[in-house]
Amino acid sequence: MIRSCLHVFGVCIVAFCLVTEGGSVSASCKTIGCGGHDPKSTCFCAPSCFSFDDCCDDYAEVCPEQTPTVKLGDVNMLITTDLHSWIEGRPHDAHLNASLAHVVSVLDHLRSIAYAQSRDVFFFDNGDINDGTGLSATAPDHVAFLSPVLQTVRYDALNIGNHELYQRNGHGIVEGPACPVVGLKESGYIASWEGRYLTSNVVWSSSHEPVGNRYTMIEGKFGTKLLVFGFLYNMHDHCDAVEVLDVEDVLASQWFKEAVQAHAQVCDGVVVLAHMDYRDELVDKIWTALRTGMGSSKPIQVVAGHSHRRGFRHIKAIRFYNVWPEVYEAGCKLDTVGFLSYSREGNRLRFELANISGNINQLAGAVNRSVSNFSTAAGARTAQAIQTARDKAGSDRVLGCAAQRYRLMTPPGKNSLWSFYMQEVLPETLLDSAKSQIAIVGTGAMTYDIFPGPVTIDDAYTASPYGNFWLKLEGIKGESLIKLMMELNHPTPWTQVVPSYVNSSAPIASSTYDLVFCDFDLDPIVERLQGMLGKHLEPKLYKPLLNTSSVLSAWFQQRPCSDESILL
Ligand SMILES: *[C@@H]1O[C@H](CO)[C@@H](O)[C@H](O)[C@H]1NC(C)=O
Ligand SMILES: *[C@@H]1O[C@H](CO)[C@@H](O)[C@H](O)[C@H]1NC(C)=O
Ligand SMILES: *[C@@H]1O[C@H](CO)[C@@H](O)[C@H](O)[C@H]1NC(C)=O
Ligand SMILES: *[C@@H]1O[C@H](CO)[C@@H](O)[C@H](O)[C@H]1NC(C)=O
Ligand SMILES: *[C@@H]1O[C@H](CO)[C@@H](O)[C@H](O)[C@H]1NC(C)=O
Ligand SMILES: *[C@@H]1O[C@H](CO)[C@@H](O)[C@H](O)[C@H]1NC(C)=O
Ligand SMILES: [Zn+2]
């Protein structure tokens, strides 16, 4: 998704946490309940997706999960989406300790069980592979360390996400690779999938050729033929290297109609990898276009993403398969491995679904294994690739020590990661004079807590994964900054614990400041100021060797651990 903000019906919803006064989060699931892993219930925090640990630290003890029952059907699918480089297992979320290597083991076991019954199992990834941990951010293009790990995983098809398509170099303002997708091409990653890296509506802007394949037909060991597309929502803020075509235009295009027509008779079903919210109306448009072309009985499954939630829904207009949840989304950041199956029963389809939590016991249990006989040879190869990537990224290198936990989802105050970042980290590492410079940062820039004790490269980058560079506007009046902050944070939905934008200090109306901000926030900040001041503003690059991630590492590098904390 786009930073931490969930845009639901035009409103940015950041969290539904129960928050107590004094800036700390309600501490116990005993009092607030377990939430049933349901966004609508007691506790759900969007930025770290499905981690209940944001809401109550005792989630794992108080809310033990039932191992999901995986019911194989005629056609079976295992799904990851929005991995955001969280493929290593989470040292600070004991409950989410599984890595992508464990998912590979699940795939192996599922295939061997299914093959014994002559059934096919397919494995899909739905995009947003990068931007989340040190494994991504320490590579200049954000994908160079990550992509060799994904190449060890035998995905049947993969989709592209918006995070593969952000401009990283400010169109040449700063040095470095322009866009992650360029790295994926130049390293041979896209080609290595031999036509199964899908981009139905993303083309290179230079040639107008599709970045991957527009679609593919995959065939399982037992002959199941699936026609697979890979759509991205109508993303407008993409990098210069590509164009993202509006989904509606693609559905009306000649190639799409021909592809549907050419395969309507030969495929057994259609899978749409859709990097868009499962509630997005584009999903309905794609589904309807396919239903029209494919006739009334062909199974059409949409695998959604981007909202970072678990969820499914039916397509309203169609009643033919009333047991068919046409759209399914499998959480994010490996908090969930999705499973879907369907079987024909007469002229109906019987459908099964499982949300498998990213926990080693849950994953092993889902394929009727115990932890001791769970890991497979292919899983071990992926584990080895993850270790190699972590070594390249220097993920385990200790930068310094944190004296306390800094929480992302908590109001400004002593425990708040945002208060710490704005009032301690930036004044010390970035701002020349905390008196005459004020920083404003959009709170999508950080995504995870900092925990007490040693802080590694990986910890710093999971807290602040995006590495956006800094810009400066000189000579801005305090009164304009006060007005700007009000506009940026207005209207604030009641559910929001942390304001949309935060500032490093309080501007005095009559004083004049340098305003410092990061490139991700350029448009909202500069457009508002220009409107307010009635003139064109030209921000300058500020401290090009620093960025929104490196300031945090720099701060901890000045805070060496005492001997005891290293031993901890
Ligand atoms: C993973 O978490 C489960 C509890 O949720 C625990 O039983 C298991 O020992 C953990 N495994 C590892 C390797 O940390
Ligand atoms: C999967 O998660 C979604 C969202 O929480 C939920 O609605 C659905 O019932 C879950 N499915 C199963 C089989 O648990
Ligand atoms: C695991 O065993 C249970 C109970 O026998 C069964 O319902 C389930 O389908 C099995 N899982 C798989 C993946 O075969
Ligand atoms: C895996 O180990 C468990 C517990 O030791 C055992 O019950 C199960 O039969 C084993 N499965 C296989 C396929 O070896
Ligand atoms: C952020 O800055 C650090 C320190 O200069 C640099 O090593 C890193 O590559 C930068 N990250 C990005 C994404 O530019
Ligand atoms: C941010 O600016 C507002 C005024 O616009 C001020 O009320 C607030 O105290 C400032 N925040 C901090 C942390 O100084
Ligand atoms: Zn995402």
Side-chain angles (χ1 to χ4, degrees):
M1 78 175 168
I2 306 168
R3 314 289 244 181
S4 70
C5 181
L6 267 183
H7 291 278
V8 179
F9 308 118
V11 177
C12 167
I13 297 188
V14 174
F16 295 98
C17 288
L18 293 185
V19 177
T20 57
E21 283 195 31
S24 77
V25 172
S26 279
S28 178
C29 288
K30 283 183 191 127
T31 47
I32 66 170
C34 294
H37 273 190
D38 180 347
K40 283 195 211 108
S41 54
T42 322
C43 199
F44 175 84
C45 300
S48 57
C49 350
F50 212 65
S51 165
F52 281 71
D53 301 340
D54 281 343
C55 312
C56 43
D57 295 331
D58 54 1
Y59 175 76
E61 301 145 47
V62 178
C63 312
E65 275 189 282
Q66 296 275 313
T67 304
T69 305
V70 167
K71 290 193 189 127
L72 288 167
D74 296 344
V75 178
N76 304 282
M77 302 170 209
L78 206 61
I79 297 152
T80 57
T81 189
D82 295 84
L83 287 174
H84 286 287
S85 76
W86 286 76
I87 59 171
E88 305 140 86
R90 304 189 186 193
H92 299 297
D93 275 321
H95 178 61
L96 295 173
N97 56 10
S99 75
L100 193 58
H102 297 107
V103 185
V104 169
S105 296
V106 168
L107 179 70
D108 285 337
H109 292 302
L110 208 54
R111 284 206 164 129
S112 68
I113 298 168
Y115 287 175
Q117 308 165 18
S118 305
R119 295 158 191 255
D120 282 318
V121 179
F122 300 94
F123 190 25
F124 299 118
D125 179 73
N126 199 20
D128 272 6
I129 59 171
N130 57 311
D131 286 353
T133 74
L135 214 53
S136 174
T138 54
D141 66 358
H142 284 209
V143 289
F145 301 154
L146 192 59
S147 48
V149 181
L150 292 178
Q151 280 173 311
T152 69
V153 181
R154 288 150 303 146
Y155 284 112
D156 292 289
L158 305 92
N159 193 14
I160 202 165
N162 50 305
H163 276 267
E164 286 84 330
L165 298 179
Y166 283 118
Q167 189 81 29
R168 296 230 48 88
N169 68 344
H171 314 275
I173 300 178
V174 289
E175 283 184 25
C179 188
V181 73
V182 175
L184 292 178
K185 180 183 187 224
E186 286 175 357
S187 68
Y189 176 82
I190 293 174
S192 75
W193 292 105
E194 300 179 329
R196 290 172 291 119
Y197 189 83
L198 301 178
T199 54
S200 301
N201 63 327
V202 185
V203 298
W204 297 114
S205 45
S206 54
S207 63
H208 284 258
E209 289 297 317
V211 164
N213 268 37
R214 287 172 169 144
Y215 61 89
T216 188
M217 178 115 110
I218 54 177
E219 186 171 345
K221 192 179 164 86
F222 296 95
T224 311
K225 292 196 185 81
L226 297 179
L227 179 62
V228 190
F229 293 90
F231 279 99
L232 174 63
Y233 67 91
N234 295 341
M235 179 190 187
H236 295 133
D237 55 345
H238 53 77
C239 59
D240 298 340
V242 300
E243 279 176 31
V244 178
L245 310 174
D246 280 359
V247 169
E248 293 90 339
D249 294 341
V250 168
L251 297 178
S253 72
Q254 199 57 33
W255 77 255
F256 180 78
K257 287 181 183 154
E258 282 170 11
V260 171
Q261 210 172 29
H263 296 88
Q265 301 307 319
V266 283
C267 73
D268 299 305
V270 185
V271 172
V272 181
L273 303 179
H275 193 89
M276 57 188 74
D277 192 318
Y278 69 100
R279 297 157 294 189
D280 194 322
E281 63 178 16
L282 286 175
V283 164
D284 303 62
K285 292 183 180 170
I286 298 170
W287 201 88
T288 306
L290 285 166
R291 176 55 75 220
T292 308
M294 285 284 162
S296 61
S297 67
K298 192 81 67 187
I300 301 168
Q301 181 65 50
V302 182
V303 173
H306 190 61
S307 85
H308 288 192
R309 295 180 175 220
R310 290 179 182 180
F312 71 81
R313 72 176 171 97
H314 300 276
I315 305 278
K316 282 194 204 88
I318 312 290
R319 292 211 181 77
F320 188 81
Y321 291 118
N322 56 0
V323 291
W324 188 250
E326 294 91 1
V327 199
Y328 170 62
E329 182 166 347
C332 70
K333 299 180 184 172
L334 218 58
D335 66 6
T336 307
V337 179
F339 171 82
L340 275 172
S341 71
Y342 63 80
S343 312
R344 280 199 185 274
E345 284 182 354
N347 62 354
R348 292 198 152 244
L349 285 167
R350 184 189 153 81
F351 171 89
E352 300 288 347
L353 170 68
N355 308 299
I356 313 172
S357 286
N359 172 276
I360 300 168
N361 295 1
Q362 294 283 316
L363 287 171
V367 287
N368 292 328
R369 291 276 165 158
S370 71
V371 172
S372 60
N373 56 19
F374 173 50
S375 182
T376 63
R381 281 195 293 278
T382 300
Q384 183 56 51
I386 291 173
Q387 192 51 52
T388 304
R390 285 181 64 85
D391 292 345
K392 279 190 212 155
S395 301
D396 292 325
R397 187 158 68 80
V398 174
L399 294 164
C401 262
Q404 63 162 92
R405 180 159 175 183
Y406 296 104
R407 290 179 189 264
L408 181 67
M409 298 311 300
T410 209
K414 167 171 121 34
N415 298 316
S416 152
L417 179 62
W418 272 111
S419 297
F420 164 64
Y421 190 80
M422 297 306 289
Q423 285 148 50
E424 295 186 51
V425 175
L426 295 191
E428 184 177 314
T429 58
L430 181 72
L431 304 176
D432 285 333
S433 151
K435 277 210 182 77
S436 65
Q437 293 192 327
I438 287 187
I440 295 180
V441 182
T443 53
M446 290 200 285
T447 58
Y448 198 61
D449 293 1
I450 291 272
F451 293 81
V455 174
T456 62
I457 294 266
D458 201 43
D459 293 327
Y461 281 106
T462 51
S464 182
Y466 301 116
N468 288 104
F469 58 86
W470 297 102
L471 295 163
K472 180 172 75 167
L473 277 172
E474 289 171 356
I476 306 291
K477 272 272 158 50
E479 60 188 3
S480 305
L481 294 180
I482 293 170
K483 203 160 160 234
L484 175 67
M485 280 306 291
M486 255 159 53
E487 285 190 13
L488 287 169
N489 282 325
H490 181 82
T492 303
W494 65 271
T495 42
Q496 212 170 307
V497 174
V498 180
S500 302
Y501 291 82
V502 287
N503 43 319
S504 58
S505 63
I508 297 163
S510 57
S511 300
T512 302
Y513 298 92
D514 292 348
L515 172 61
V516 175
F517 54 97
C518 78
D519 73 292
F520 191 83
D521 299 328
L522 180 103
D523 288 348
I525 288 180
V526 173
E527 277 168 19
R528 278 186 180 79
L529 273 178
Q530 287 184 161
M532 218 182 278
L533 302 174
K535 64 173 181 190
H536 178 77
L537 297 170
E538 200 66 56
K540 287 185 199 152
L541 187 60
Y542 181 63
K543 303 211 173 166
L545 294 180
L546 296 176
N547 50 58
T548 51
S549 305
S550 70
V551 289
L552 201 56
S553 347
W555 196 89
F556 281 109
Q557 273 174 316
Q558 300 304 313
R559 304 290 181 297
C561 299
S562 61
D563 292 348
E564 303 92 80
S565 47
I566 290 180
L567 291 175
L568 259 174

